[in-house]
Amino acid sequence: MSLPWKFRIDDQEFTGKRVLVTGGTKGAGQAIVHRLVAAGAAVLTTARSAIPDAPSPPMFVQADVSTLAGIETVAASVLERLGGIDIVVHSVGGSKSAGGGFAGLTEQSWQNELDLNLLAAVRLDRLLVPHMITQGSGAIVHISSIQRSLPLHESTTAYAAAKAALSTYSKALSKELGPKGIRVNTVAPGWINTTASEAMVKRLAAHSGSDDETARQGIMDALGGIPIGRPAWPQEVAELVAFLVSDRAASIHGAEYVIDGGTIPTV
């Protein structure tokens, strides 16, 4: 599906910028890749596997960033192919845990969610941030989730806990890196209209023995509804990220931006 409107893009805004986007072959990650490429950036992205029928991004490395070996492969590729790094967007994430609440989460389920949704960012930052410190500049965006404060206990407790930890880690990192010329911010999306969100719907439907529409409505009910009446488009998330890593946001640091259509009902 495509947006019913188009954003105006300065095709020179990120010229000369070297960018890594994790999880950039689908969903919001793919939209972020396309947005930054359109603005002139040199972008490398990574995922467990490329999507055969999707347009290939300019630079791609196949790696599982939920593992330390995968992270090391990505970091080495960034330095070899880009020659350095100016912007890192940690978009990779998601949940594959089955429904069933707390009791349905095994030891491996918890480890998988933490590896993908928290430790992937921590490990990659540990390898790439020193290069940003050396050059005295850089921008990092961690993609968290509104589930850090609004968890769905039936299906995503471990995912929500990992994202909460990611937001806390991001804030701590910002305090350390700000004086060194590196900005760190977090984006917390709510429901995004992606293939991954639809896959979760199907898992919940299968677990409960219902249909997709019932499962989808169940998620909406658990979230308390979306006041604007629809989930966010991936391109809208990408537009927010592009702003945060740009010079237009030079004083925005250590902040978290929620993009959820008003889902969270409190201040």
Side-chain angles (χ1 to χ4, degrees):
M1 289 182 287
S2 59
L3 284 169
W5 65 89
K6 290 184 179 180
F7 296 111
R8 294 182 179 179
I9 297 175
D10 176 356
D11 61 7
Q12 300 297 313
E13 182 173 22
F14 292 108
T15 297
K17 295 295 184 181
R18 301 159 298 180
V19 181
L20 170 68
V21 179
T22 62
T25 59
K26 57 186 177 182
Q30 184 181 53
I32 292 166
V33 169
H34 290 170
R35 175 61 176 82
L36 296 178
V37 167
V43 180
L44 184 148
T45 191
T46 180
R48 286 190 178 98
S49 58
I51 301 175
D53 59 351
S56 297
M59 285 178 276
F60 174 78
V61 56
Q62 184 173 342
D64 181 358
V65 296
S66 68
T67 68
L68 181 57
I71 290 292
E72 291 172 341
T73 296
V74 171
S77 295
V78 166
L79 300 178
E80 177 185 350
R81 300 171 70 177
L82 295 179
I85 189 69
D86 300 298
I87 296 168
V88 175
V89 181
H90 294 285
S91 179
V92 72
S95 175
K96 291 188 176 180
S97 297
F102 172 80
L105 291 168
T106 65
E107 179 71 20
Q108 193 59 53
S109 296
W110 276 99
Q111 191 60 60
N112 291 344
E113 302 289 29
L114 289 168
D115 282 338
L116 182 62
N117 295 292
L118 170 64
L119 295 177
V122 173
R123 290 164 175 160
L124 199 51
D125 288 345
R126 196 162 55 211
L127 293 177
L128 294 181
V129 165
H131 299 277
M132 290 183 170
I133 292 174
T134 297
Q135 68 193 20
S137 64
I140 299 170
V141 170
H142 297 121
I143 305 297
S144 182
S145 169
I146 63 167
Q147 288 195 50
R148 74 173 188 80
S149 56
L150 193 67
L152 301 178
H153 63 83
E154 168 61 23
S155 59
T156 60
T157 295
Y159 167 82
K163 288 298 189 181
L166 179 63
S167 291
T168 300
Y169 159 72
S170 185
K171 184 64 174 180
L173 190 65
S174 73
K175 291 181 176 294
E176 183 175 356
L177 297 186
K180 299 175 182 179
I182 303 163
R183 293 188 301 110
V184 183
N185 291 293
T186 309
V187 169
W191 186 287
I192 307 175
N193 194 345
T194 66
T195 55
S197 66
E198 284 303 300
M200 183 174 71
V201 166
K202 292 185 181 301
R203 287 200 309 275
L204 292 176
H207 177 77
S208 63
S210 63
D211 57 27
D212 288 2
E213 188 55 39
T214 301
R216 189 177 293 108
Q217 187 59 51
I219 294 173
M220 294 283 285
D221 292 344
L223 288 170
I226 302 176
I228 66 169
R230 63 171 178 85
W233 293 85
Q235 293 91 336
E236 291 173 315
V237 177
E239 195 64 25
L240 175 57
V241 170
F243 169 68
L244 289 174
V245 300
S246 75
D247 291 340
R248 293 173 287 149
S251 293
I252 299 177
H253 175 63
E256 180 161 285
Y257 281 76
V258 173
I259 177 168
D260 71 346
T263 300
I264 294 179
T266 57
V267 174

